[in-house]
Amino acid sequence: MTATAARRPQTLATPRAWPVRASDLVALAVGNGFLIAAMWVRHGALDQLGTLSGVLTAAGQLTALLGTYLVLIQLVLMSRSPWLDQLFGVERLANAHRWLGFASVVLIGGHGVLTTIGYAMGDRLAVTTEAWTLLTTYPFVLMATVGMGLFILVAVTSVRIARRRLSYETWYGLHLYAYLAVALAFAHQVVVGTDFSDDPVARIYWFVLLGLVAASFLAFRVGQPVALSWRHQLRVANVVRESPTVTSIYMTGRDLDRLPVRAGQYFLWRFLTHEGWWRAHPFSLSAAPNGDYLRVSVKALGDWSSRLEELPLGTRVFVEGPYGITTGTPRKRAAILLVAGGVGITPLRALFESVPAPRGAITLIYRVSAPEDLALRRELDELARLRGATVHYLVGRRGSPEMPSDPLAPAALQRLIPDVASREVYVCGPDGMIATVRRSLQALRVPDRHIHVERFAY
Amino acid sequence: MFPKRGAIAIVLTALALVLLVSFKTPDDFGRLGNGRTAGIVAPGPSGAPGATAAPSAGDGGALGATGPTPRPSAGRPSAAPTAAAATGQVTGTVVETRFGPVQVRATFQNGRIMDVQAVQLPSDRARSAQISQYAEPYLRSEALQAQSAQIDIVSGATYTSEGYARSLQSAIDQAQHQ
């Protein structure tokens, strides 16, 4: 089975385009934020500002509302809705998630502190006494406090220093507690929360908001993947070693020509074996979709990715996706430069095969540090011949005798691709390489809107 | 294999959740009379003339909390309509509640309670003031109807109601001993 031989008699399904604009979504999010602040004002927040205790209580109320609102936005971001993915791309969504996440934890923590101190001052009680009263006699406040603790746990384990010390699995497992935290905090909002407990309109609004978030989350994180996986019944058809470190997995299934995906995109794959079902792997398609099979190429990085080599043929596969916007369509410029680092070749390999472009208008730079890391070379050469494209293999460790200077530095890149400034550029690889390439491209005056980076899926 | 640590974490989390959910707060707190939370609710069925003004949906009932419920009477039981000749105004003692002092002044005519006015009600916080303002007419009309301090607690204003009843009781006691 070779990746390039497949011809396509039929038209293949592509992901639907969603008629949503980024500005609409931002306007919606900001508008809702103002609505929530207005609700806070309407419920008498400003009347409390006469005393310090009132100021703290009111501030505690506002931080609660806005912090919770940010958490809801987080849930929407993480629902991996295809329309969000299409508009912003995973990288920007993940960035937003990171900063909104920290902001929401600060707000929610602030709510706890401000409200306790504000109430304590109002009741003329010690803060510790008030805290005890709140925890033991206010309904669901203990529950919510545990939720707040979980939020803080999630945030702390996501701070870069902590993140580096934790395995991905531990970090991910702890991250799941954020969902529990959302659930735990809910009851106290509507029962104790000043804004909801005695304003039925506000309560209905809140329920609708939460309901929509939950519905979108369930639809895209559960419903869609289950439907897709059921419809296409994917199974492992072949496992092929491409290089000492890279292995390809071929999957076949039902009606693959109706599976909407483009070259350059990725799925989250779950191989349903006894030991691996609980892990979802973000792998790009390493061959353009062809209606006959799907292929991913995986580098053995940790114990789990080395084990993929031993996947039994026939293993069922569960997929979520497709995700990713480095599909090459639509784009502004005809000429394309693809820059791959290491196993970052996989999505670019698929693009190299199928991205629409005039003959001779595609160039691929494939950067690896050792010859044995070059995967899929034979295919790439064959595709280059078929499409009249060019491949530059840049092999060697930077600073070694055969590669004294960085071949991706501006001057070197300019020599290699003289017309780089007029190309649409797609980059995929390790973070360090992406940063180098981005700097070089900026130095060579390639506008940012023509630089497309795929960071998360290999 | 699903990681053992993960399985242990799930079991421990489930146990912790069970404990957390089974934690009960006192029944009438939070919803009632804490001055910041749920429920300004309609008064008990002894019904007040002003009942039409009651915001019926404010019962905080979203999560199965009960609707307006008559509460057992507050205050010490007292002898019904007061002794013979008491006439005039008597100010009850100041009752400190969680949310501030409560004090009432009762007007008697021949032992009958003709009027009850609040001298002090919790008003520190905006919410307390709001609740006091809301609860007072009900408490007053209940007292006038019952002709004693045996009045139903206004849901959403437990502490205030209790303070009101106790202060009123002290006023009645004083009137009887005049």
Side-chain angles (χ1 to χ4, degrees):
Chain A
M1 192 185 278
T2 72
T4 54
R7 288 297 99 208
R8 290 152 221 159
Q10 71 282 65
T11 35
L12 299 171
T14 50
R16 71 179 274 201
W18 297 73
V20 197
R21 281 184 312 184
S23 54
D24 298 344
L25 290 179
V26 173
L28 183 70
V30 173
N32 249 310
F34 276 111
L35 195 61
I36 289 171
M39 180 166 84
W40 172 74
V41 172
R42 192 180 120 81
H43 291 155
L46 303 183
D47 305 339
Q48 299 182 61
L49 299 186
T51 61
L52 180 56
S53 125
V55 170
L56 294 176
T57 307
Q61 204 176 323
L62 185 63
T63 48
L65 289 169
L66 294 182
T68 309
Y69 180 53
L70 286 190
V71 170
L72 294 184
I73 292 180
Q74 302 280 72
L75 285 177
V76 174
L77 291 185
M78 290 300 100
S79 71
R80 303 211 183 101
S81 319
W83 44 273
L84 271 177
D85 186 55
Q86 249 171 42
L87 282 177
F88 300 104
V90 188
E91 188 183 6
R92 278 203 280 170
L93 290 181
N95 252 328
H97 175 60
R98 185 172 175 79
W99 293 114
L100 289 178
F102 286 125
S104 56
V105 170
V106 167
L107 286 172
I108 288 169
H111 160 61
V113 172
L114 291 169
T115 303
T116 309
I117 297 177
Y119 279 15
M121 291 178 71
D123 292 345
R124 299 188 195 85
L125 290 172
V127 172
T128 45
T129 317
E130 183 68 55
W132 182 253
T133 310
L134 283 169
L135 288 176
T136 54
T137 61
Y138 277 60
F140 306 114
V141 166
L142 178 68
M143 215 182 244
T145 307
V146 171
M148 179 173 80
L150 292 177
F151 270 132
I152 292 171
L153 172 80
V154 169
V156 166
T157 54
S158 299
V159 172
R160 288 217 164 81
I161 303 168
R163 177 66 192 86
R164 273 199 294 270
R165 286 158 181 268
L166 292 172
S167 73
Y168 173 80
E169 280 77 15
T170 308
W171 169 82
Y172 179 79
L174 290 172
H175 231 74
L176 294 179
Y177 279 100
Y179 296 117
L180 186 58
V182 173
L184 287 176
F186 176 71
H188 98 289
Q189 294 165 15
V190 289
V191 176
V192 193
T194 312
D195 287 287
F196 304 115
S197 58
D198 48 5
D199 182 344
V201 177
R203 205 158 55 225
I204 289 168
Y205 163 73
W206 202 243
F207 282 142
V208 168
L209 197 63
L210 262 67
L212 287 177
V213 169
S216 117
F217 191 86
L218 289 176
F220 292 116
R221 287 299 290 277
V222 182
Q224 194 265 352
V226 167
L228 189 77
S229 301
W230 180 255
R231 165 96 164 82
H232 296 289
Q233 300 280 326
L234 295 173
R235 285 171 185 275
V236 173
N238 201 3
V239 178
V240 177
R241 177 173 277 220
E242 305 283 1
S243 79
T245 53
V246 175
T247 303
S248 285
I249 301 166
Y250 289 79
M251 283 153 284
T252 53
R254 201 164 64 182
D255 299 337
L256 288 192
D257 56 320
R258 307 314 310 153
L259 179 76
V261 57
R262 287 178 197 276
Q265 290 194 299
Y266 66 95
F267 288 96
L268 296 179
W269 310 84
R270 278 173 204 274
F271 299 101
L272 304 184
T273 58
H274 183 57
E275 64 266 20
W277 62 268
W278 55 278
R279 241 191 279 251
H281 308 279
F283 295 144
S284 298
L285 295 184
S286 67
N290 53 40
D292 294 325
Y293 61 84
L294 299 172
R295 188 186 74 172
V296 296
S297 299
V298 183
K299 183 172 184 178
L301 291 168
D303 53 339
W304 54 266
S305 43
S306 348
R307 298 291 297 278
L308 287 177
E309 253 182 58
E310 300 156 20
L311 271 181
L313 301 189
T315 300
R316 283 182 177 277
V317 186
F318 184 86
V319 284
E320 275 177 67
Y323 306 116
I325 50 171
T326 51
T327 56
T329 48
R331 66 175 192 274
K332 295 275 161 39
R333 296 164 156 188
I336 287 186
L337 170 64
L338 308 172
V339 188
V343 76
I345 186 65
T346 50
L348 301 188
R349 150 70 183 78
L351 278 186
F352 194 57
E353 176 181 356
S354 72
V355 68
R359 222 181 140 68
I362 310 177
T363 302
L364 168 67
I365 296 177
Y366 187 3
R367 174 86 180 86
V368 291
S369 37
E372 61 269 25
D373 291 339
L374 277 179
L376 312 173
R377 177 163 191 170
R378 198 181 43 77
E379 290 175 15
L380 291 170
D381 289 340
E382 190 185 340
L383 286 171
R385 193 175 50 75
L386 284 171
R387 304 201 69 183
T390 314
V391 188
H392 298 288
Y393 298 101
L394 304 178
V395 183
R397 232 166 250 294
R398 215 171 2 157
S400 66
E402 71 270 27
M403 191 167 278
S405 66
D406 192 332
L408 296 175
L413 196 59
Q414 173 85 72
R415 265 197 308 282
L416 199 60
I417 320 284
D419 63 344
V420 61
S422 63
R423 287 181 184 247
E424 200 82 23
V425 186
Y426 296 86
V427 191
C428 184
D431 285 350
M433 189 215 77
I434 288 176
T436 308
V437 172
R438 204 195 281 275
R439 270 197 306 275
S440 298
L441 291 172
Q442 280 159 353
L444 296 172
R445 305 199 179 283
V446 180
D448 276 346
R449 64 179 183 283
H450 296 300
I451 305 174
H452 310 275
V453 168
E454 184 66 84
R455 168 167 291 157
F456 292 91
Y458 290 163
Chain B
M1 195 64 77
F2 191 81
K4 202 176 272 174
R5 277 191 310 162
I8 293 171
I10 290 173
V11 172
L12 289 180
T13 304
L15 282 177
L17 274 182
V18 170
L19 288 177
L20 199 54
V21 169
S22 58
F23 176 80
K24 289 270 183 291
T25 47
D27 246 11
D28 62 343
F29 200 82
R31 294 187 56 251
L32 302 170
N34 66 24
R36 316 151 169 143
T37 66
I40 299 172
V41 206
S46 58
T52 47
S56 58
D59 61 5
L63 284 172
T66 51
T69 32
R71 297 267 146 195
S73 295
R76 282 173 284 139
S78 79
T82 41
T87 295
Q89 286 196 334
V90 183
T91 306
T93 52
V94 177
V95 179
E96 285 295 338
T97 75
R98 209 184 144 68
F99 300 100
V102 177
Q103 188 179 28
V104 300
R105 180 182 300 133
T107 309
F108 298 92
Q109 195 165 30
N110 299 323
R112 272 190 72 76
I113 304 174
M114 301 307 291
D115 191 16
V116 184
Q117 281 171 333
V119 181
Q120 299 186 64
L121 286 174
S123 61
D124 259 22
R125 269 188 286 272
R127 289 283 293 130
S128 297
Q130 208 180 331
I131 284 174
S132 299
Q133 202 185 355
Y134 167 84
E136 203 222 321
Y138 293 116
L139 294 168
R140 176 176 171 275
S141 68
E142 281 186 38
L144 293 181
Q145 208 166 37
Q147 284 298 311
S148 77
Q150 280 183 295
I151 52 183
D152 281 347
I153 285 177
V154 174
S155 301
T158 310
Y159 283 74
T160 302
S161 304
E162 282 172 2
Y164 193 97
R166 279 168 54 199
S167 187
L168 177 59
Q169 183 65 55
S170 80
I172 293 170
D173 290 348
Q174 286 175 50
Q176 284 172 337
H177 293 109
Q178 265 174 5

